[in-house]
Amino acid sequence: MNIEIRNLSHAFGDFQALKDVSLDVHDGELLALLGPSGCGKTTLLRLLAGLARPDAGTIRIGGVEATGQSAQARQVGFVFQHYALFRHMSVFENIAFGLRVRRRNRPANAEIRQRVNALLELVKLDGFGNRMPSELSGGQRQRVALARALAVEPRVLLLDEPFGALDASVRRELRRWLRRLHDEINITSLFVTHDVEEAMEVAERVVVMDHGRIVQMGTPEEVYAQPATPFVCAFLGSVNRFPACPAAGDGTPELLTGPAACGAEGTAPLTLYARPHELLLERGTGTPGQTVPATILRVQAIGAVVHIELQRSDNGQRIEVELSRERQDEQTYKAGEAVHIRPTRFARF
């Protein structure tokens, strides 16, 4: 079921939560709305669900105008961050609730029983139907909430920070499970998250939002490797900033050190953004314009990665570098050592 969003805007009093947002969601796609708190991603999800009405713009679901439709008419499943399970109902009855309260086309009890049991098997909770929500772990409760949303056979599935209330290990397990589940049921799905790793691992496309606007969209690989703005680059992971002078044509920019300025009069410096794993450390005299001098402050090995914190000798800026354990074993960098930093890859703004 495809979704077409055109020029959507919404305000809460004087606060403009969404500003002229347009987006196409493809049939069967799993799409992540990614951004910091307050960027408008949950507001967009609620407008799609029919839980709020936009101040301007239109929403079409499956080619049908849905802007003025009720939440029930849109046939959208919604999964909340904090489960919203009925504590006085069993797991079975929680999942069956949406089917039992239907005013039209209410299934027979036998069909409800069959559908709920099939969903319990789908979310790997078969045998848990008689338990109460208080007898489940956080991950199990979230799977019940997802099964309840799927029970009414929605055309679109919306998930608002579905794993935000869970600890890190359970989140990792559940997001992989969600990816496999989506591949099996192939329902158009949007989920909201501020967790970059979660969005990159689960989604087919990522929509990055900031201050009520979409600032970039693309596959996880495209968004990470080719950030459109400094905000996107910094939000998607740790970055180091290097002042530099533009090079002629498509040449490599020259790194600035100390108070140096670009040579040509009127030439404005730019900033290179390099992630910790895109930097190399070198001993010796360094290469002017291609390396910057620094002193190692700390070396910490965590698993297969070695984190090195440095301070630039020319301007005092802190720099983070990540090396493989094999590289560190070869070079044995130590705190207090003077080295030069070479960016091997970067984004420029």
Side-chain angles (χ1 to χ4, degrees):
M1 188 67 60
N2 67 306
I3 303 172
E4 303 169 42
I5 300 166
R6 294 292 179 268
N7 309 112
L8 216 59
S9 295
H10 190 71
F12 298 99
D14 294 332
F15 176 69
Q16 193 70 34
L18 281 184
K19 305 172 185 176
D20 197 32
V21 168
S22 294
L23 173 66
D24 287 323
V25 185
H26 309 313
D27 183 28
E29 182 175 30
L30 178 55
L31 183 140
L33 299 175
L34 175 66
S37 297
C39 72
K41 54 189 187 294
T42 293
T43 299
L44 177 56
L45 208 69
R46 290 177 62 83
L47 293 177
L48 288 174
L51 300 178
R53 295 290 176 87
D55 298 328
T58 60
I59 299 170
R60 297 177 68 85
I61 299 177
V64 177
E65 172 63 41
T67 314
Q69 285 184 336
S70 66
Q72 184 178 7
R74 295 185 192 197
Q75 295 179 265
V76 168
F78 202 104
V79 178
F80 297 91
Q81 177 179 346
H82 295 288
Y83 327 129
L85 299 180
F86 300 112
R87 290 179 292 178
H88 64 288
M89 291 184 180
S90 67
V91 167
F92 184 97
E93 290 302 328
N94 263 281
I95 298 173
F97 179 78
L99 298 172
R100 294 199 191 282
V101 299
R102 275 186 177 175
R103 295 182 179 180
R104 298 179 181 178
N105 302 319
R106 181 186 183 276
N109 287 334
E111 184 180 346
I112 291 176
R113 189 180 309 110
Q114 181 181 7
R115 192 178 300 181
V116 172
N117 286 333
L119 284 167
L120 284 169
E121 183 177 354
L122 180 68
V123 299
K124 311 301 181 187
L125 288 175
D126 36 329
F128 285 71
N130 292 326
R131 295 198 187 185
M132 303 301 287
S134 60
E135 299 175 302
L136 304 179
S137 68
Q140 290 170 334
R141 292 178 198 173
Q142 193 59 286
R143 280 187 275 166
V144 173
L146 182 56
R148 183 177 61 185
L150 293 172
V152 295
E153 298 180 324
R155 300 187 298 166
V156 174
L157 182 64
L158 307 176
L159 305 100
D160 187 10
E161 301 271 9
F163 312 131
L166 305 174
D167 61 56
S169 61
V170 176
R171 282 204 309 269
R172 283 194 295 271
E173 177 187 345
L174 276 184
R175 66 192 185 212
R176 291 168 186 159
W177 171 81
L178 177 62
R179 177 69 256 183
R180 294 193 299 269
L181 178 66
H182 179 267
D183 290 341
E184 183 174 343
I185 63 177
N186 198 37
I187 184 175
T188 304
S189 306
L190 289 84
F191 74 97
V192 159
T193 183
H194 62 266
D195 186 318
V196 174
E197 184 179 347
E198 186 171 285
M200 295 296 181
E201 182 174 345
V202 176
E204 296 165 346
R205 265 198 314 156
V206 175
V207 174
V208 184
M209 299 186 66
D210 185 37
H211 290 93
R213 299 185 185 276
I214 293 174
V215 290
Q216 188 171 0
M217 67 180 80
T219 66
E221 295 80 7
E222 290 169 347
V223 172
Y224 188 83
Q226 303 167 33
T229 68
F231 165 79
V232 174
C233 188
F235 185 77
L236 294 184
S238 298
V239 290
N240 301 284
R241 297 167 175 83
F242 295 89
C245 290
D250 295 327
T252 302
E254 293 189 4
L255 301 179
L256 288 172
T257 55
C262 297
E265 184 176 350
T267 301
L270 49 80
T271 301
L272 308 184
Y273 287 66
R275 302 198 184 279
H277 66 273
E278 297 172 334
L279 303 176
L280 290 179
L281 300 183
E282 300 178 357
R283 295 184 172 98
T285 58
T287 306
Q290 299 179 29
T291 63
V292 295
T295 300
I296 296 175
L297 301 178
R298 187 172 181 231
V299 178
Q300 183 179 27
I302 302 177
V305 178
V306 178
H307 301 267
I308 302 180
E309 183 181 354
L310 305 97
Q311 184 172 30
R312 285 184 58 163
S313 306
D314 57 326
N315 61 14
Q317 179 188 357
R318 296 294 179 99
I319 300 291
E320 296 179 16
V321 174
E322 291 180 359
L323 301 178
S324 67
R325 186 177 285 271
E326 291 76 14
R327 177 75 175 177
Q328 170 62 8
D329 288 343
E330 292 174 0
Q331 300 297 325
T332 61
Y333 293 112
K334 298 178 181 179
E337 187 175 357
V339 294
H340 284 79
I341 303 170
R342 181 187 295 273
T344 60
R345 184 176 179 179
F346 49 79
R348 65 185 81 184
F349 299 101

